[in-house]
Amino acid sequence: MSKKIEFLDLGQQPLANYYLNKSQKKKKERKYRLIVCFDNQNKLVSIKKTFSSKMMFNNKYPYRSSMSKTMQRSFKELAKHIKLKINPKKILEIGSNDGSFLKNFNKSMSVGIEPCANVEKITKKKKFNTIPKYWNTKLARDILKKYGYFDLIYSANTISHIKNLNDVFSSIDLVLSKTGIFIIEDPSLIECLKRNTYDQFYNEHIYVFSYLSLRNILKKYNLEIYKIENLDIHGGSNRYFIKRMKNKIKIEKSVIKQKRKEMKYGLNKKNTYYKFRKRVEESKKRLVSIFNYCKSKNKKIIGYGATAKSTTILNYCNINDQTIDYFIDTTKDKQNKYTPGTKIKIKKYKGGINKDVDYVFLGAWNFKKEIFKKEKKYIKRGGKFIIHTPLPRII
Ligand code: DWN
């Protein structure tokens, strides 16, 4: 029998991407209790309290996938691979954001679905076919009428954001051609557990998938995974290549390898999740003591990258503007606003870290390499970073 086990309580949290302007900062924020569950039957990890898509993904959405070179490079490489190995005639992207993936394809062969109209507009301006709607059966039917079947469907960091997975996959089933390929890219559960990145849990990440959980859902729609790529993107993601069961493409070794890895780690057992909870609680204590130590020495700390993920960390660890002076971020829609719940000012990134800064809390830790490369000057003058994964530490 299916039983959801609540294994992690990350306390009261605001909506992760809901950055506050000056007047909102003074008002009481909407908060919810962030509890993470494991379903011992279908092996799916999900958050308990969810919000409607409209509340989370609307015309005020601040996230832009183009903000990191790492992401742009990853999309470009994947597009090259798709053209070479799959050679599709028609591509559909679900959650096309500001077009960072689609821009690698011909406008006449691609369609992007992006419900956040402010972001969708950016891609439309570049003359791509984009539709500002939520992915569901109704939309799939309309698209089928207008464009016909697609032989390649891609979705990065989006499927895990949609509550009704049955609707997601039955809609895919509607528009995917007989020999079509569906590629999903999302944070990897095993990496999240291994790296103690509990900040992968927030209201937008309704699910954090494993191979074990995803294959169970796909089976219902006669879909199966034939290849898995482990990526370093976003602190460890999986790229799942999916086909119809009737399609005779060979199942690659990477699938068996992933299954073995997940079973060996115990992703199918509740005890694994209880152990993770203990590590998360330890991680909180350690991070708080690092901040306390830096403050006791009167050091100036700022944040780098006001990420959705850092909303979870800051609120869970009660770190606010008394500890972190301000954040810097390249995203225009976040600048001059305040972090949700913790009300730390977000300033425009002006190329470099100010001379008076002693410590930088890395909110965008998933782009550590890219940021360290950019901030050589700061590192050279002895500037330090505070990072929470895999263990909170100063580097
Ligand atoms: O799934 C999701 C992921 C893909 O993106 C969404 N639910 C929301 C969002 O999550 P996030 O905010 O945790 O994503 P990122 O990509 O880790 O955010 C990076 C942030 O850091 C952006 O605000 C841009 C900023 N940044 C910066 O200021 N300088 C990033 C880099 C690389 C930089 O050099």
Side-chain angles (χ1 to χ4, degrees):
M1 209 178 71
S2 170
K3 193 178 167 228
K4 269 194 186 176
I5 298 153
E6 297 177 8
F7 67 87
L8 182 63
D9 183 348
L10 292 165
Q12 289 294 320
Q13 295 277 349
L15 295 190
N17 259 316
Y18 202 84
Y19 300 92
L20 311 164
N21 60 29
K22 251 191 185 161
S23 71
Q24 288 167 324
K25 189 189 167 212
K26 288 179 200 135
K27 291 182 192 151
K28 204 171 171 226
E29 279 174 86
R30 177 174 189 159
K31 294 206 176 156
Y32 70 102
R33 197 155 196 115
L34 178 54
I35 291 172
V36 192
C37 313
F38 168 64
D39 187 318
N40 72 355
Q41 192 183 38
N42 61 20
K43 313 302 173 202
L44 192 57
V45 166
S46 61
I47 57 168
K48 190 177 178 187
K49 165 85 185 139
T50 55
F51 294 87
S52 70
S53 297
K54 258 190 200 158
M55 266 194 84
M56 301 187 286
F57 310 112
N58 47 47
N59 61 2
K60 302 228 163 20
Y61 197 62
Y63 177 70
R64 308 282 181 275
S65 51
S66 61
M67 283 300 117
S68 112
K69 281 188 186 152
T70 314
M71 284 306 290
Q72 303 249 29
R73 205 179 311 123
S74 169
F75 286 140
K76 197 173 173 183
E77 277 165 18
L78 175 63
K80 210 168 134 189
H81 172 88
I82 288 173
K83 283 177 201 166
L84 205 73
K85 300 279 179 196
I86 305 174
N87 191 21
K89 291 191 178 52
K90 233 186 294 165
I91 294 180
L92 176 71
E93 188 186 8
I94 303 170
S96 50
N97 200 271
D98 60 1
S100 302
F101 172 71
L102 277 188
K103 74 171 185 193
N104 298 294
F105 293 93
N106 199 312
K107 291 177 177 111
S108 62
M109 68 181 290
S110 52
V111 179
I113 311 294
E114 177 48 64
C116 305
N118 57 330
V119 190
E120 181 262 351
K121 258 188 218 155
I122 303 171
T123 326
K124 189 166 265 163
K125 254 193 186 166
K126 294 174 199 152
K127 306 267 184 278
F128 278 93
N129 296 309
T130 51
I131 305 171
K133 288 191 177 165
Y134 298 101
W135 179 249
N136 56 33
T137 321
K138 172 159 185 340
L139 180 63
R141 283 206 186 100
D142 293 347
I143 285 177
L144 186 63
K145 257 191 223 155
K146 190 165 175 192
Y147 297 100
Y149 294 103
F150 289 86
D151 39 14
L152 194 284
I153 304 178
Y154 176 61
S155 189
N157 301 300
T158 302
I159 303 301
S160 58
H161 297 52
I162 310 176
K163 188 173 179 185
N164 190 343
L165 292 178
N166 283 319
D167 192 52
V168 166
F169 293 108
S170 57
S171 310
I172 294 290
D173 189 28
L174 273 175
V175 298
L176 187 69
S177 71
K178 268 188 192 162
T179 53
I181 304 299
F182 177 31
I183 305 175
I184 304 181
E185 204 173 302
D186 265 304
S188 149
L189 181 64
I190 192 167
E191 291 308 321
C192 165
L193 265 56
K194 276 186 179 171
R195 302 182 196 198
N196 273 332
T197 49
Y198 60 88
D199 51 333
Q200 290 290 9
F201 297 107
Y202 52 92
N203 59 294
E204 290 178 13
H205 284 184
I206 299 174
Y207 307 102
V208 176
F209 295 127
S210 59
Y211 160 74
L212 295 177
S213 62
L214 206 53
R215 71 161 181 184
N216 288 336
I217 313 160
L218 291 168
K219 221 186 271 172
K220 291 195 213 167
Y221 300 94
N222 295 318
L223 295 165
E224 65 183 342
I225 298 165
Y226 70 92
K227 175 177 162 179
I228 300 174
E229 282 175 5
N230 301 136
L231 312 171
D232 210 35
I233 288 281
H234 288 303
S237 297
N238 284 331
R239 184 177 283 155
Y240 303 95
F241 291 74
I242 298 159
K243 64 173 185 70
R244 292 191 184 277
M245 281 177 179
K246 278 189 180 160
N247 185 336
K248 295 286 177 234
I249 300 176
K250 212 177 124 209
I251 310 276
E252 296 192 11
K253 275 187 191 144
S254 55
V255 178
I256 300 293
K257 217 173 134 192
Q258 185 72 23
K259 182 184 170 189
R260 281 201 192 124
K261 196 162 67 174
E262 293 188 1
M263 296 291 281
K264 193 172 170 204
Y265 193 80
L267 288 193
N268 53 336
K269 292 182 194 138
K270 62 179 183 206
N271 231 2
T272 306
Y273 299 93
Y274 292 139
K275 281 188 204 158
F276 174 62
R277 175 178 65 203
K278 281 204 180 128
R279 294 200 300 278
V280 172
E281 287 164 358
E282 272 310 307
S283 174
K284 174 179 178 174
K285 279 186 206 153
R286 203 167 157 151
L287 186 65
V288 169
S289 74
I290 288 175
F291 276 113
N292 287 345
Y293 166 80
C294 298
K295 276 299 173 211
S296 72
K297 303 271 178 208
N298 278 325
K299 300 293 182 191
K300 184 171 177 123
I301 312 171
I302 68 155
Y304 197 119
T307 57
K309 294 183 289 294
S310 56
T311 300
T312 296
I313 303 177
L314 300 176
N315 285 280
Y316 176 58
C317 299
N318 301 314
I319 297 158
N320 54 27
D321 59 353
Q322 299 296 303
T323 307
I324 295 181
D325 276 37
Y326 59 87
F327 263 86
I328 44 175
D329 199 290
T330 50
T331 317
K332 223 174 159 195
D333 283 359
K334 294 183 185 178
Q335 292 160 4
N336 296 317
K337 293 197 173 159
Y338 298 83
T339 57
T342 47
K343 300 180 167 58
I344 304 166
K345 176 120 192 220
I346 304 165
K347 293 187 181 177
K348 184 178 174 178
Y349 175 74
K350 290 183 183 156
I353 296 162
N354 283 353
K355 289 215 169 80
D356 59 348
V357 173
D358 302 298
Y359 291 93
V360 170
F361 169 64
L362 212 48
W365 55 266
N366 43 319
F367 297 121
K368 187 172 131 221
K369 259 192 207 158
E370 181 178 335
I371 292 170
F372 278 21
K373 206 170 155 193
K374 208 155 68 174
E375 304 307 339
K376 274 187 194 140
K377 253 191 188 169
Y378 171 72
I379 296 170
K380 213 171 166 192
R381 72 161 168 87
K384 302 275 185 230
F385 288 90
I386 300 171
I387 189 163
H388 85 296
T389 168
L391 276 178
R393 64 198 200 283
I394 294 171
I395 41 177

